[in-house]
Amino acid sequence: MAEGTRAKPGLEDVVAGESAITLVAGETGGLAYRGFDIAELARSAPYEGVVHLLLYGESPEPEALRATREALGARRELPLALRRAADALPAELPPLDALRSLLSAMSGRAFAYPPTPDQGLELVAKAPALLARTVRRRRGEPPVASDRALGHVANYLYLLTGHRPAERQVRALETYFILLADHGMNASTFALRVVLSTNADLLSGAVAAIAALKGPLHGGAPSKVSDMLDAVGTAGEAQAWVDAALARRERLMGFGHRAYKTEDPRARLLKGVAATTADPARFALAEEVERVALLALARARPGQRLYTNVEFWGAVVLEAAGLERELFTPTFALARTAGWSAHALEQAADNRLIRPDVAYTGPEVGRRWKGGEATGA
Ligand code: ACO
């Protein structure tokens, strides 16, 4: 790149590719997968239908939906080598790191490049079983075998607890899975597409994606939202807590978004889910923290247009589903395996190596070496 050319920090507003998967309308707060508004999907579709939509590009007819459900159900069982890999990990490894490691362990001929929809189904189906096995081991509990009669999300809860979950709990978590299934060129998806662009396989891309999801500026925020609600304590203390945090120049977890300059539509939908599933006192506390935070952010960061993002109400929904905080980001990853797979397919279908330029800002060339002597070989 020519010297003096300025880079765009964070690639903000840089259009880094074309995609027919998900429309993120940041100014108006719109979100749609393959032309289906996210509210319509949250209301009407099962997660397996959204997986089908993302992988194959079309909403499934009943027969195709049955086939996708069966394909996912049939792929849940973990082969012996993967069970052994899961059981060999250090028990103290945090669940997200365990999931990332186990996706590496799953690599093999079945996942050779180029990615296929079948590979996507395999990833979506096995990831919950891998995660649940390590989580139960961490808790000192024996593994639970998948139940073919249960849907994808219900089975995930069953694998974690060993109990058949209540229908309301399942639909709440299923809505979360649908809303988190894809989101355009976010950091983890971009990381996956960079990896796929080198003609590396889907699992290598998914491992990179999970690594990118770990940080609190992307997928690592929801448990910190729960921590924040605990720290606030009661609705009456929300104002003072938020003001003090902003005075310390801290970021309020669950607010602000690179793409949305208005409310994240997923936040609104998840708030609706939380209203009917969360403990009423917890919901009331979260609602007051949100109200106070939005006013305080508008005052403290005028012009930044900081609104509630998916992680805020996502955290309350995950709490209501009975998940431990250390499972929040891994659960986000499970939901996103569908979108990551769709992006891998799209990247491979019309690939060009992603290799941007960088503006050099180092010393002028032509310096004299004054360090140690070359040793020769
Ligand atoms: N609380 C307080 N101030 C904030 C917040 C926040 N949550 N978010 C942004 N700001 C401020 C920044 O300090 C900055 O102000 P400054 O210019 O005076 O320093 C300004 O708003 C712009 O912030 P940027 O970091 O430039 O915005 P960016 O688009 O890069 O960041 C991000 C988006 C990372 C999500 C940010 O809003 C944030 O850190 N939020 C809190 C963490 C969070 O909720 N993460 C989950 C994101 S959703 C997801 O990825 C699925």
Side-chain angles (χ1 to χ4, degrees), residues 167-173 270-280 283 316-321:
E167 183 51 42
R168 226 161 66 116
Q169 193 187 14
V170 174
R171 189 56 202 169
L173 190 60
L270 286 169
K271 183 174 181 179
V273 174
T276 56
T277 54
D279 167 60
F283 180 82
V316 183
V317 168
L318 293 175
E319 282 179 11

Side-chain angles (χ1 to χ4, degrees), residues 12 216-219 221 246 249-258 261 266 297 301 304 306 309-311 332:
E12 189 161 1
L217 301 191
H218 185 17
L246 289 179
R249 309 267 334 149
E250 285 175 16
R251 290 183 177 220
L252 303 180
M253 291 295 132
F255 296 90
H257 199 281
R258 176 65 65 79
K261 297 308 164 200
R266 300 166 298 177
L297 284 168
R301 310 273 190 273
Q304 295 290 359
L306 300 170
N309 69 42
V310 64
E311 305 281 31
F332 181 169

Side-chain angles (χ1 to χ4, degrees), residues 280-301:
R282 192 69 167 170
F283 180 82
L285 171 64
E287 202 173 32
E288 179 61 5
V289 170
E290 181 186 37
R291 190 188 71 76
V292 162
L294 289 175
L295 288 171
L297 284 168
R299 226 177 15 247
R301 310 273 190 273

Side-chain angles (χ1 to χ4, degrees), residues 202-253:
L202 170 62
L203 285 182
S204 298
V207 168
I210 291 193
L213 195 67
K214 188 171 176 180
L217 301 191
H218 185 17
S223 61
K224 297 188 189 312
V225 170
S226 292
D227 295 345
M228 176 176 74
L229 293 178
D230 286 354
V232 172
T234 64
E237 285 164 279
Q239 185 75 61
W241 193 94
V242 164
D243 287 346
L246 289 179
R248 293 192 299 269
R249 309 267 334 149
E250 285 175 16
R251 290 183 177 220
L252 303 180
M253 291 295 132

